[in-house]
CSV table of all heavy atoms in Angstrom, one decimal:
chain,number,residue,atom,x,y,z
O,1,GLU,N,-18.1,164.2,-99.8
O,1,GLU,CA,-16.9,163.6,-100.5
O,1,GLU,C,-16.4,162.3,-99.9
O,1,GLU,O,-16.3,161.3,-100.6
O,1,GLU,CB,-15.9,164.7,-100.8
O,1,GLU,CG,-16.4,165.8,-101.7
O,1,GLU,CD,-15.5,167.0,-101.7
O,1,GLU,OE1,-14.2,166.7,-101.6
O,1,GLU,OE2,-15.9,168.1,-101.9
O,2,PRO,N,-15.9,162.4,-98.7
O,2,PRO,CA,-15.4,161.1,-98.1
O,2,PRO,C,-16.5,160.0,-98.0
O,2,PRO,O,-16.2,158.8,-98.2
O,2,PRO,CB,-14.9,161.5,-96.8
O,2,PRO,CG,-15.5,162.8,-96.4
O,2,PRO,CD,-15.8,163.5,-97.8
O,3,GLN,N,-17.8,160.4,-97.8
O,3,GLN,CA,-18.8,159.4,-97.8
O,3,GLN,C,-18.9,158.7,-99.1
O,3,GLN,O,-19.0,157.5,-99.2
O,3,GLN,CB,-20.1,160.0,-97.3
O,3,GLN,CG,-21.2,158.9,-97.2
O,3,GLN,CD,-22.6,159.4,-96.8
O,3,GLN,OE1,-22.7,160.6,-96.5
O,3,GLN,NE2,-23.5,158.5,-96.6
O,4,GLU,N,-18.8,159.4,-100.1
O,4,GLU,CA,-18.9,158.8,-101.5
O,4,GLU,C,-17.7,157.9,-101.8
O,4,GLU,O,-17.9,156.9,-102.4
O,4,GLU,CB,-19.1,159.9,-102.6
O,4,GLU,CG,-20.5,160.5,-102.6
O,4,GLU,CD,-20.6,161.7,-103.4
O,4,GLU,OE1,-19.5,162.2,-103.9
O,4,GLU,OE2,-21.7,162.2,-103.6
O,5,ILE,N,-16.6,158.4,-101.3
O,5,ILE,CA,-15.3,157.6,-101.5
O,5,ILE,C,-15.4,156.3,-100.8
O,5,ILE,O,-15.1,155.2,-101.3
O,5,ILE,CB,-14.1,158.4,-101.1
O,5,ILE,CG1,-13.8,159.5,-102.1
O,5,ILE,CG2,-12.8,157.4,-101.1
O,5,ILE,CD1,-12.8,160.5,-101.6
O,6,ILE,N,-15.8,156.3,-99.5
O,6,ILE,CA,-16.0,155.1,-98.8
O,6,ILE,C,-17.0,154.1,-99.4
O,6,ILE,O,-16.9,153.0,-99.5
O,6,ILE,CB,-16.4,155.4,-97.3
O,6,ILE,CG1,-15.3,156.2,-96.6
O,6,ILE,CG2,-16.8,154.3,-96.5
O,6,ILE,CD1,-14.0,155.4,-96.3
O,7,ALA,N,-18.1,154.7,-99.9
O,7,ALA,CA,-19.2,153.9,-100.4
O,7,ALA,C,-18.6,153.2,-101.7
O,7,ALA,O,-18.9,152.1,-101.9
O,7,ALA,CB,-20.4,154.8,-100.8
O,8,ARG,N,-18.0,154.0,-102.6
O,8,ARG,CA,-17.4,153.3,-103.8
O,8,ARG,C,-16.5,152.2,-103.5
O,8,ARG,O,-16.4,151.2,-104.1
O,8,ARG,CB,-16.7,154.4,-104.7
O,8,ARG,CG,-17.7,155.3,-105.4
O,8,ARG,CD,-16.9,156.0,-106.6
O,8,ARG,NE,-15.8,156.8,-106.1
O,8,ARG,CZ,-15.8,158.1,-105.6
O,8,ARG,NH1,-16.9,158.7,-105.6
O,8,ARG,NH2,-14.8,158.6,-105.3
O,9,THR,N,-15.6,152.5,-102.5
O,9,THR,CA,-14.5,151.5,-102.1
O,9,THR,C,-15.1,150.3,-101.4
O,9,THR,O,-14.5,149.2,-101.7
O,9,THR,CB,-13.5,152.3,-101.2
O,9,THR,OG1,-13.1,153.4,-101.9
O,9,THR,CG2,-12.3,151.3,-100.9
O,10,TYR,N,-16.0,150.4,-100.6
O,10,TYR,CA,-16.4,149.4,-99.7
O,10,TYR,C,-17.9,148.9,-99.9
O,10,TYR,O,-18.4,148.1,-99.1
O,10,TYR,CB,-16.2,149.7,-98.2
O,10,TYR,CG,-14.8,150.0,-97.9
O,10,TYR,CD1,-14.3,151.3,-97.8
O,10,TYR,CD2,-13.9,149.0,-97.9
O,10,TYR,CE1,-13.0,151.4,-97.5
O,10,TYR,CE2,-12.5,149.1,-97.6
O,10,TYR,CZ,-12.1,150.4,-97.3
O,10,TYR,OH,-10.8,150.7,-97.1
O,11,ARG,N,-18.6,149.4,-100.8
O,11,ARG,CA,-20.0,149.1,-101.0
O,11,ARG,C,-20.3,147.6,-101.1
O,11,ARG,O,-21.3,147.2,-100.4
O,11,ARG,CB,-20.5,149.8,-102.3
O,11,ARG,CG,-22.0,149.6,-102.4
O,11,ARG,CD,-22.6,150.3,-103.8
O,11,ARG,NE,-22.0,151.5,-104.1
O,11,ARG,CZ,-22.4,152.7,-103.6
O,11,ARG,NH1,-23.5,152.7,-102.8
O,11,ARG,NH2,-21.9,153.8,-103.9
O,12,ASN,N,-19.6,146.9,-101.8
O,12,ASN,CA,-19.8,145.4,-101.9
O,12,ASN,C,-19.5,144.8,-100.6
O,12,ASN,O,-20.4,143.8,-100.2
O,12,ASN,CB,-19.0,144.7,-103.0
O,12,ASN,CG,-19.5,145.2,-104.4
O,12,ASN,OD1,-20.6,145.7,-104.6
O,12,ASN,ND2,-18.6,145.1,-105.3
O,13,LYS,N,-18.5,145.0,-100.0
O,13,LYS,CA,-18.2,144.4,-98.6
O,13,LYS,C,-19.2,144.7,-97.6
O,13,LYS,O,-19.6,143.8,-96.9
O,13,LYS,CB,-16.8,144.7,-98.2
O,13,LYS,CG,-15.7,144.1,-98.9
O,13,LYS,CD,-14.3,144.4,-98.1
O,13,LYS,CE,-13.1,143.8,-98.9
O,13,LYS,NZ,-11.9,144.1,-98.3
O,14,ASP,N,-19.5,146.0,-97.7
O,14,ASP,CA,-20.5,146.5,-96.7
O,14,ASP,C,-22.0,145.8,-96.9
O,14,ASP,O,-22.6,145.5,-95.9
O,14,ASP,CB,-20.7,148.0,-96.7
O,14,ASP,CG,-19.4,148.7,-96.2
O,14,ASP,OD1,-18.7,148.1,-95.5
O,14,ASP,OD2,-19.3,149.9,-96.5
O,15,ALA,N,-22.3,145.7,-98.2
O,15,ALA,CA,-23.6,145.1,-98.5
O,15,ALA,C,-23.6,143.7,-98.1
O,15,ALA,O,-24.6,143.2,-97.5
O,15,ALA,CB,-23.9,145.1,-100.0
O,16,THR,N,-22.5,143.0,-98.3
O,16,THR,CA,-22.4,141.6,-97.9
O,16,THR,C,-22.4,141.5,-96.4
O,16,THR,O,-23.1,140.4,-95.8
O,16,THR,CB,-21.1,140.9,-98.4
O,16,THR,OG1,-21.1,141.0,-99.9
O,16,THR,CG2,-20.9,139.5,-98.0
O,17,ARG,N,-21.7,142.3,-95.6
O,17,ARG,CA,-21.7,142.3,-94.2
O,17,ARG,C,-23.1,142.7,-93.7
O,17,ARG,O,-23.5,142.2,-92.6
O,17,ARG,CB,-20.7,143.2,-93.7
O,17,ARG,CG,-20.4,143.3,-92.3
O,17,ARG,CD,-19.3,144.3,-91.9
O,17,ARG,NE,-18.2,144.3,-92.6
O,17,ARG,CZ,-17.8,145.1,-93.6
O,17,ARG,NH1,-18.6,146.1,-93.9
O,17,ARG,NH2,-16.7,145.0,-94.3
O,18,GLY,N,-23.8,143.5,-94.3
O,18,GLY,CA,-25.1,144.0,-93.9
O,18,GLY,C,-25.0,145.1,-92.9
O,18,GLY,O,-24.0,145.5,-92.3
O,19,GLU,N,-26.2,145.7,-92.5
O,19,GLU,CA,-26.2,146.8,-91.6
O,19,GLU,C,-25.8,146.5,-90.1
O,19,GLU,O,-25.0,147.2,-89.6
O,19,GLU,CB,-27.7,147.4,-91.5
O,19,GLU,CG,-28.1,148.0,-92.7
O,19,GLU,CD,-29.6,148.4,-92.8
O,19,GLU,OE1,-30.3,148.2,-91.7
O,19,GLU,OE2,-30.1,148.8,-93.8
O,20,ILE,N,-26.2,145.3,-89.6
O,20,ILE,CA,-25.9,145.0,-88.3
O,20,ILE,C,-24.4,144.7,-88.2
O,20,ILE,O,-23.7,145.1,-87.3
O,20,ILE,CB,-26.8,143.7,-87.8
O,20,ILE,CG1,-28.2,144.1,-87.8
O,20,ILE,CG2,-26.2,143.2,-86.5
O,20,ILE,CD1,-28.5,145.2,-86.9
O,21,GLY,N,-23.9,143.8,-89.2
O,21,GLY,CA,-22.4,143.6,-89.2
O,21,GLY,C,-21.5,144.8,-89.3
O,21,GLY,O,-20.6,145.0,-88.6
O,22,THR,N,-21.9,145.8,-90.2
O,22,THR,CA,-21.2,147.1,-90.3
O,22,THR,C,-21.3,147.9,-88.9
O,22,THR,O,-20.4,148.4,-88.6
O,22,THR,CB,-21.8,147.8,-91.5
O,22,THR,OG1,-21.7,147.1,-92.7
O,22,THR,CG2,-21.1,149.2,-91.6
O,23,PHE,N,-22.5,147.8,-88.4
O,23,PHE,CA,-22.7,148.6,-87.1
O,23,PHE,C,-21.8,147.9,-86.0
O,23,PHE,O,-21.2,148.7,-85.2
O,23,PHE,CB,-24.2,148.5,-86.6
O,23,PHE,CG,-24.4,149.2,-85.3
O,23,PHE,CD1,-24.4,150.5,-85.2
O,23,PHE,CD2,-24.6,148.3,-84.2
O,23,PHE,CE1,-24.6,151.2,-84.0
O,23,PHE,CE2,-24.8,149.0,-82.9
O,23,PHE,CZ,-24.8,150.4,-82.8
O,24,VAL,N,-21.8,146.6,-85.9
O,24,VAL,CA,-20.9,146.0,-85.0
O,24,VAL,C,-19.4,146.4,-85.1
O,24,VAL,O,-18.6,146.7,-84.2
O,24,VAL,CB,-21.1,144.4,-85.0
O,24,VAL,CG1,-20.0,143.8,-84.3
O,24,VAL,CG2,-22.5,144.1,-84.5
O,25,TRP,N,-18.9,146.5,-86.4
O,25,TRP,CA,-17.6,146.9,-86.6
O,25,TRP,C,-17.4,148.3,-86.2
O,25,TRP,O,-16.3,148.7,-85.7
O,25,TRP,CB,-17.2,146.8,-88.2
O,25,TRP,CG,-16.7,145.4,-88.5
O,25,TRP,CD1,-17.5,144.3,-89.1
O,25,TRP,CD2,-15.5,144.8,-88.3
O,25,TRP,NE1,-16.7,143.3,-89.3
O,25,TRP,CE2,-15.4,143.5,-88.8
O,25,TRP,CE3,-14.3,145.3,-87.7
O,25,TRP,CZ2,-14.3,142.7,-88.8
O,25,TRP,CZ3,-13.2,144.5,-87.7
O,25,TRP,CH2,-13.2,143.2,-88.2
O,26,MET,N,-18.4,149.1,-86.4
O,26,MET,CA,-18.2,150.6,-86.0
O,26,MET,C,-18.1,150.7,-84.5
O,26,MET,O,-17.3,151.5,-84.0
O,26,MET,CB,-19.4,151.4,-86.6
O,26,MET,CG,-19.2,152.8,-86.3
O,26,MET,SD,-20.7,153.8,-86.7
O,26,MET,CE,-21.8,153.4,-85.3
O,27,VAL,N,-18.9,149.9,-83.8
O,27,VAL,CA,-18.9,149.9,-82.3
O,27,VAL,C,-17.5,149.4,-81.9
O,27,VAL,O,-17.0,150.0,-80.9
O,27,VAL,CB,-20.0,149.0,-81.7
O,27,VAL,CG1,-19.9,148.8,-80.3
O,27,VAL,CG2,-21.4,149.7,-82.1
O,28,GLU,N,-17.0,148.4,-82.6
O,28,GLU,CA,-15.6,148.0,-82.1
O,28,GLU,C,-14.6,149.2,-82.3
O,28,GLU,O,-13.7,149.3,-81.5
O,28,GLU,CB,-15.2,146.8,-83.0
O,28,GLU,CG,-13.8,146.2,-82.6
O,28,GLU,CD,-13.4,145.1,-83.4
O,28,GLU,OE1,-14.3,144.2,-83.7
O,28,GLU,OE2,-12.3,144.9,-83.7
O,29,GLU,N,-14.8,149.9,-83.4
O,29,GLU,CA,-13.8,150.9,-83.6
O,29,GLU,C,-14.1,152.1,-82.5
O,29,GLU,O,-13.1,152.7,-82.1
O,29,GLU,CB,-13.9,151.6,-84.9
O,29,GLU,CG,-13.5,150.6,-86.1
O,29,GLU,CD,-12.0,150.3,-85.9
O,29,GLU,OE1,-11.2,151.1,-85.4
O,29,GLU,OE2,-11.6,149.3,-86.5
């Protein structure tokens, strides 16, 4: 459920950022 909510909310931003960019943000967190 939360994964689907996050995907719906941020899918476009995440896709634009890409896997590596998203991973870098996760590492920062």
Side-chain angles (χ1 to χ4, degrees):
E1 294 170 32
Q3 183 177 2
E4 289 172 347
I5 292 167
I6 295 292
R8 280 195 309 269
T9 304
Y10 298 105
R11 184 180 320 271
N12 291 337
K13 284 184 179 182
D14 292 339
T16 300
R17 184 182 312 105
E19 292 173 6
I20 298 300
T22 300
F23 178 75
V24 168
W25 275 100
M26 185 185 75
V27 169
E28 183 176 323
E29 293 298 338

